[in-house]
Amino acid sequence: MNSLLAHIKLLRPLNVFIAGLAMVLASAILGVLTEINTVIRVVMVVLCYTGAANALNDVIDYNIDLINRPMRPIPSGYVNKKSALFISVLLFSTGSFLCLELSQNAKVIGIVIAMPLMVLYSKSLKGVPLIGNVTIAFILGLAFLFCGAAFDNMAPMWIPTVLAFGLTLVRELVKDIADMNGDKSAGLKTFPITAGIDKTIQITIFLTACIGFGAFIPLITGYYGFLYGIMLILGVEIPLGVVVVSLVNNPGIKAAKHSARLLKFSTIAGLIAIYIGTL
């Protein structure tokens, strides 16, 4: 891995790509894809903030990643912490500058709420049981309200926001199980460490059931069409079921890692379901 590839990997390009795609899908749900300048600006803000947060997280999590992810760019020695911190500051600044050209509500959500929460989460809240999980889920959900605010139409974004919040909260709890060894070594007090794996799985199952039933409400009420239900089952409900079965049958770190990877794409699948449900 050369230096350029290592710095790209630092930003977690797949996560950045998914974040940008989510904003494109959110714009499609709003029916504003023709407003290309604003769409590009919204996507770029989210791309910058996501990359910045990922780089900052790797700087702060250096000791944890030495155990959990030793091949990440910083612990592997391909990127030094000062360079990563500079990239993070640069991307946060660029995202904020681009955000200044959006609506007043979008500026408040992006610059005043989301960005400080990203920094606070990485520095202080990541290891706080449940509060850290809720914070990152709130940030991910907030991205959809940010998109709605940019086009002065937040109402259609509430369902995507709630869905993203719920799926992210489940995934973050599952990730905490997967990262227990490194988190323990760093002295973090995540929920699986303080309450145990069994209790974490119980909460995960409860949240999964809430999401599974709650996601069908827009279909039952006729807010979204039949195609929404089909895509919801394929892209969200089935993966959630697989996660529950996997964790119940193999309540450990290995199953948690596989489940976290599977859940990464469920939010996108949910957005696609919402989009085709509005056609």
Side-chain angles (χ1 to χ4, degrees):
M1 181 167 57
N2 61 39
S3 179
L4 177 60
L5 288 176
H7 283 80
I8 293 173
K9 187 178 179 181
L10 173 75
L11 305 180
R12 300 178 199 177
L14 179 59
N15 288 0
V16 172
F17 172 77
I18 290 173
L21 178 60
M23 292 301 96
V24 174
L25 288 170
S27 300
I29 292 168
L30 292 169
V32 295
L33 285 177
T34 54
E35 299 181 37
I36 189 67
N37 288 336
T38 304
V39 172
I40 290 174
R41 195 170 290 275
V42 166
V43 170
M44 290 303 299
V45 170
V46 172
L47 292 180
C48 286
Y49 277 4
T50 303
N54 288 338
L56 178 62
N57 188 70
D58 274 20
V59 172
I60 295 173
D61 282 358
Y62 169 72
N63 291 324
I64 299 172
D65 286 342
L66 282 172
I67 297 173
N68 285 341
R69 301 174 183 86
M71 293 311 296
R72 289 291 302 160
I74 297 177
S76 65
Y78 286 98
V79 176
N80 65 61
K81 289 195 283 187
K82 287 185 178 180
S83 295
L85 185 60
F86 173 79
I87 290 171
S88 178
V89 172
L90 179 63
L91 288 175
F92 271 133
S93 301
T94 302
S96 298
F97 176 77
L98 293 170
C99 193
L100 291 174
E101 297 299 318
L102 297 174
S103 70
Q104 187 63 33
N105 285 336
K107 283 186 278 192
V108 170
I109 292 173
I111 300 173
V112 179
I113 301 176
M115 184 176 64
L117 274 179
M118 289 177 181
V119 176
L120 184 63
Y121 168 79
S122 293
K123 286 180 62 65
S124 306
L125 298 180
K126 183 177 180 179
V128 181
L130 290 183
I131 293 177
N133 305 117
V134 170
T135 300
I136 196 64
F138 176 73
I139 292 170
L140 267 291
L142 202 61
F144 299 99
L145 289 183
F146 169 74
C147 184
F151 295 98
D152 294 315
N153 188 16
M154 295 172 68
M157 288 291 98
W158 280 106
I159 293 176
T161 295
V162 173
L163 180 62
F165 174 86
L167 289 171
T168 303
L169 183 55
V170 169
R171 182 171 183 267
E172 287 300 309
L173 285 169
V174 171
K175 277 182 61 184
D176 279 353
I177 297 175
D179 292 342
M180 282 182 67
N181 290 336
D183 291 344
K184 279 182 181 179
S185 70
L188 298 182
K189 303 295 182 182
T190 60
F191 192 76
I193 292 173
T194 57
I197 291 179
D198 289 343
K199 183 71 72 175
T200 305
I201 291 175
Q202 289 173 12
I203 291 181
T204 299
I205 292 172
F206 171 75
L207 290 172
T208 298
C210 291
I211 296 167
F213 287 115
F216 273 109
I217 294 176
L219 178 65
I220 295 170
T221 59
Y223 192 79
Y224 295 138
F226 178 73
L227 291 176
Y228 165 78
I230 298 298
M231 186 61 196
L232 183 73
I233 291 172
L234 295 175
V236 178
E237 303 290 341
I238 290 177
L240 286 174
V242 170
V243 167
V244 168
V245 171
S246 177
L247 291 175
V248 169
N249 291 336
N250 303 284
I253 291 175
K254 185 176 180 180
K257 287 182 178 179
H258 291 307
S259 297
R261 292 191 196 103
L262 181 61
L263 288 170
K264 180 179 289 188
F265 300 97
S266 287
T267 299
I268 293 296
L271 287 173
I272 294 173
I274 291 171
Y275 173 66
I276 65 176
T278 60
L279 297 177

PDB file of all heavy atoms in Angstrom, residues 9 18 23 43 51 60 96 100 102 107 135 187 206 256 274 277 279:
ATOM      1  N   LYS A   9      -7.505   5.482   1.781  1.00  0.00           N
ATOM      2  CA  LYS A   9      -8.113   4.503   2.678  1.00  0.00           C
ATOM      3  C   LYS A   9      -8.457   5.115   4.028  1.00  0.00           C
ATOM      4  O   LYS A   9      -9.423   4.707   4.682  1.00  0.00           O
ATOM      5  CB  LYS A   9      -7.159   3.316   2.864  1.00  0.00           C
ATOM      6  CG  LYS A   9      -7.764   2.161   3.644  1.00  0.00           C
ATOM      7  CD  LYS A   9      -6.790   0.997   3.744  1.00  0.00           C
ATOM      8  CE  LYS A   9      -7.402  -0.149   4.557  1.00  0.00           C
ATOM      9  NZ  LYS A   9      -6.454  -1.291   4.688  1.00  0.00           N
ATOM     10  N   ILE A  18     -21.080   5.718   0.127  1.00  0.00           N
ATOM     11  CA  ILE A  18     -22.437   5.405   0.583  1.00  0.00           C
ATOM     12  C   ILE A  18     -23.125   6.670   1.093  1.00  0.00           C
ATOM     13  O   ILE A  18     -24.317   6.894   0.830  1.00  0.00           O
ATOM     14  CB  ILE A  18     -22.403   4.321   1.678  1.00  0.00           C
ATOM     15  CG1 ILE A  18     -21.993   2.976   1.064  1.00  0.00           C
ATOM     16  CG2 ILE A  18     -23.758   4.192   2.369  1.00  0.00           C
ATOM     17  CD1 ILE A  18     -21.776   1.879   2.085  1.00  0.00           C
ATOM     18  N   MET A  23     -27.354  10.845  -0.179  1.00  0.00           N
ATOM     19  CA  MET A  23     -27.848  12.188  -0.448  1.00  0.00           C
ATOM     20  C   MET A  23     -28.463  12.298  -1.855  1.00  0.00           C
ATOM     21  O   MET A  23     -29.432  13.040  -2.061  1.00  0.00           O
ATOM     22  CB  MET A  23     -26.723  13.212  -0.289  1.00  0.00           C
ATOM     23  CG  MET A  23     -26.237  13.377   1.141  1.00  0.00           C
ATOM     24  SD  MET A  23     -27.544  13.898   2.318  1.00  0.00           S
ATOM     25  CE  MET A  23     -28.046  12.298   3.007  1.00  0.00           C
ATOM     26  N   VAL A  43     -24.235  16.987  -1.612  1.00  0.00           N
ATOM     27  CA  VAL A  43     -23.411  15.773  -1.656  1.00  0.00           C
ATOM     28  C   VAL A  43     -21.988  16.079  -1.214  1.00  0.00           C
ATOM     29  O   VAL A  43     -21.397  15.334  -0.414  1.00  0.00           O
ATOM     30  CB  VAL A  43     -23.419  15.159  -3.072  1.00  0.00           C
ATOM     31  CG1 VAL A  43     -22.368  14.051  -3.186  1.00  0.00           C
ATOM     32  CG2 VAL A  43     -24.800  14.610  -3.418  1.00  0.00           C
ATOM     33  N   GLY A  51     -15.677  12.139   5.364  1.00  0.00           N
ATOM     34  CA  GLY A  51     -14.253  11.868   5.283  1.00  0.00           C
ATOM     35  C   GLY A  51     -13.490  12.480   6.443  1.00  0.00           C
ATOM     36  O   GLY A  51     -12.585  11.859   7.011  1.00  0.00           O
ATOM     37  N   ILE A  60      -7.883   9.555  16.741  1.00  0.00           N
ATOM     38  CA  ILE A  60      -8.211   9.361  18.153  1.00  0.00           C
ATOM     39  C   ILE A  60      -8.193   7.885  18.544  1.00  0.00           C
ATOM     40  O   ILE A  60      -7.832   7.529  19.667  1.00  0.00           O
ATOM     41  CB  ILE A  60      -9.586  10.002  18.454  1.00  0.00           C
ATOM     42  CG1 ILE A  60      -9.482  11.538  18.270  1.00  0.00           C
ATOM     43  CG2 ILE A  60     -10.061   9.671  19.861  1.00  0.00           C
ATOM     44  CD1 ILE A  60     -10.790  12.266  18.365  1.00  0.00           C
ATOM     45  N   SER A  96     -17.768  23.000   5.531  1.00  0.00           N
ATOM     46  CA  SER A  96     -18.450  24.147   6.136  1.00  0.00           C
ATOM     47  C   SER A  96     -18.534  25.315   5.169  1.00  0.00           C
ATOM     48  O   SER A  96     -19.555  26.014   5.099  1.00  0.00           O
ATOM     49  CB  SER A  96     -17.723  24.573   7.417  1.00  0.00           C
ATOM     50  OG  SER A  96     -17.742  23.527   8.373  1.00  0.00           O
ATOM     51  N   LEU A 100     -22.105  27.055   3.564  1.00  0.00           N
ATOM     52  CA  LEU A 100     -22.511  28.459   3.705  1.00  0.00           C
ATOM     53  C   LEU A 100     -23.380  28.938   2.552  1.00  0.00           C
ATOM     54  O   LEU A 100     -24.090  29.936   2.672  1.00  0.00           O
ATOM     55  CB  LEU A 100     -21.272  29.353   3.828  1.00  0.00           C
ATOM     56  CG  LEU A 100     -20.469  29.213   5.115  1.00  0.00           C
ATOM     57  CD1 LEU A 100     -19.193  30.042   5.036  1.00  0.00           C
ATOM     58  CD2 LEU A 100     -21.309  29.641   6.322  1.00  0.00           C
ATOM     59  N   LEU A 102     -25.834  27.205   1.270  1.00  0.00           N
ATOM     60  CA  LEU A 102     -27.140  26.555   1.351  1.00  0.00           C
ATOM     61  C   LEU A 102     -28.095  27.380   2.214  1.00  0.00           C
ATOM     62  O   LEU A 102     -27.740  28.452   2.702  1.00  0.00           O
ATOM     63  CB  LEU A 102     -26.974  25.143   1.917  1.00  0.00           C
ATOM     64  CG  LEU A 102     -26.127  24.187   1.053  1.00  0.00           C
ATOM     65  CD1 LEU A 102     -25.898  22.869   1.784  1.00  0.00           C
ATOM     66  CD2 LEU A 102     -26.786  23.946  -0.305  1.00  0.00           C
ATOM     67  N   LYS A 107     -27.572  25.332   7.012  1.00  0.00           N
ATOM     68  CA  LYS A 107     -26.353  25.810   7.678  1.00  0.00           C
ATOM     69  C   LYS A 107     -26.368  25.468   9.165  1.00  0.00           C
ATOM     70  O   LYS A 107     -25.357  25.049   9.729  1.00  0.00           O
ATOM     71  CB  LYS A 107     -26.195  27.319   7.475  1.00  0.00           C
ATOM     72  CG  LYS A 107     -25.682  27.695   6.095  1.00  0.00           C
ATOM     73  CD  LYS A 107     -25.399  29.169   5.964  1.00  0.00           C
ATOM     74  CE  LYS A 107     -26.658  29.957   5.665  1.00  0.00           C
ATOM     75  NZ  LYS A 107     -26.387  31.343   5.251  1.00  0.00           N
ATOM     76  N   THR A 135     -25.717   8.954  19.666  1.00  0.00           N
ATOM     77  CA  THR A 135     -25.156  10.158  19.038  1.00  0.00           C
ATOM     78  C   THR A 135     -24.809   9.916  17.576  1.00  0.00           C
ATOM     79  O   THR A 135     -25.185  10.700  16.702  1.00  0.00           O
ATOM     80  CB  THR A 135     -23.900  10.636  19.791  1.00  0.00           C
ATOM     81  OG1 THR A 135     -24.244  10.941  21.139  1.00  0.00           O
ATOM     82  CG2 THR A 135     -23.319  11.883  19.133  1.00  0.00           C
ATOM     83  N   GLY A 187      -9.638   1.277  27.481  1.00  0.00           N
ATOM     84  CA  GLY A 187     -10.365   1.740  28.652  1.00  0.00           C
ATOM     85  C   GLY A 187     -11.738   2.297  28.360  1.00  0.00           C
ATOM     86  O   GLY A 187     -12.334   2.971  29.219  1.00  0.00           O
ATOM     87  N   PHE A 206     -34.553  -6.247  20.311  1.00  0.00           N
ATOM     88  CA  PHE A 206     -35.705  -5.367  20.572  1.00  0.00           C
ATOM     89  C   PHE A 206     -35.756  -4.232  19.553  1.00  0.00           C
ATOM     90  O   PHE A 206     -36.816  -3.940  18.978  1.00  0.00           O
ATOM     91  CB  PHE A 206     -35.612  -4.803  21.991  1.00  0.00           C
ATOM     92  CG  PHE A 206     -36.633  -3.734  22.284  1.00  0.00           C
ATOM     93  CD1 PHE A 206     -37.965  -4.062  22.495  1.00  0.00           C
ATOM     94  CD2 PHE A 206     -36.251  -2.396  22.323  1.00  0.00           C
ATOM     95  CE1 PHE A 206     -38.914  -3.073  22.751  1.00  0.00           C
ATOM     96  CE2 PHE A 206     -37.188  -1.405  22.578  1.00  0.00           C
ATOM     97  CZ  PHE A 206     -38.525  -1.746  22.797  1.00  0.00           C
ATOM     98  N   ALA A 256     -20.620 -10.781  15.057  1.00  0.00           N
ATOM     99  CA  ALA A 256     -20.894  -9.349  15.095  1.00  0.00           C
ATOM    100  C   ALA A 256     -20.228  -8.621  13.937  1.00  0.00           C
ATOM    101  O   ALA A 256     -20.795  -7.693  13.355  1.00  0.00           O
ATOM    102  CB  ALA A 256     -20.443  -8.757  16.430  1.00  0.00           C
ATOM    103  N   ILE A 274     -37.902   3.546  -0.248  1.00  0.00           N
ATOM    104  CA  ILE A 274     -38.710   4.764  -0.101  1.00  0.00           C
ATOM    105  C   ILE A 274     -38.871   5.454  -1.451  1.00  0.00           C
ATOM    106  O   ILE A 274     -39.973   5.892  -1.821  1.00  0.00           O
ATOM    107  CB  ILE A 274     -38.081   5.720   0.933  1.00  0.00           C
ATOM    108  CG1 ILE A 274     -38.194   5.113   2.325  1.00  0.00           C
ATOM    109  CG2 ILE A 274     -38.748   7.093   0.880  1.00  0.00           C
ATOM    110  CD1 ILE A 274     -37.415   5.860   3.374  1.00  0.00           C
ATOM    111  N   GLY A 277     -41.136   3.573  -3.646  1.00  0.00           N
ATOM    112  CA  GLY A 277     -42.474   3.622  -3.056  1.00  0.00           C
ATOM    113  C   GLY A 277     -43.210   4.914  -3.333  1.00  0.00           C
ATOM    114  O   GLY A 277     -44.430   4.988  -3.188  1.00  0.00           O
ATOM    115  N   LEU A 279     -42.975   6.420  -6.358  1.00  0.00           N
ATOM    116  CA  LEU A 279     -43.188   6.532  -7.801  1.00  0.00           C
ATOM    117  C   LEU A 279     -44.646   6.307  -8.169  1.00  0.00           C
ATOM    118  O   LEU A 279     -45.358   5.576  -7.485  1.00  0.00           O
ATOM    119  CB  LEU A 279     -42.292   5.516  -8.538  1.00  0.00           C
ATOM    120  CG  LEU A 279     -40.773   5.729  -8.364  1.00  0.00           C
ATOM    121  CD1 LEU A 279     -40.010   4.617  -9.090  1.00  0.00           C
ATOM    122  CD2 LEU A 279     -40.354   7.086  -8.888  1.00  0.00           C
TER     123      LEU A 279
END
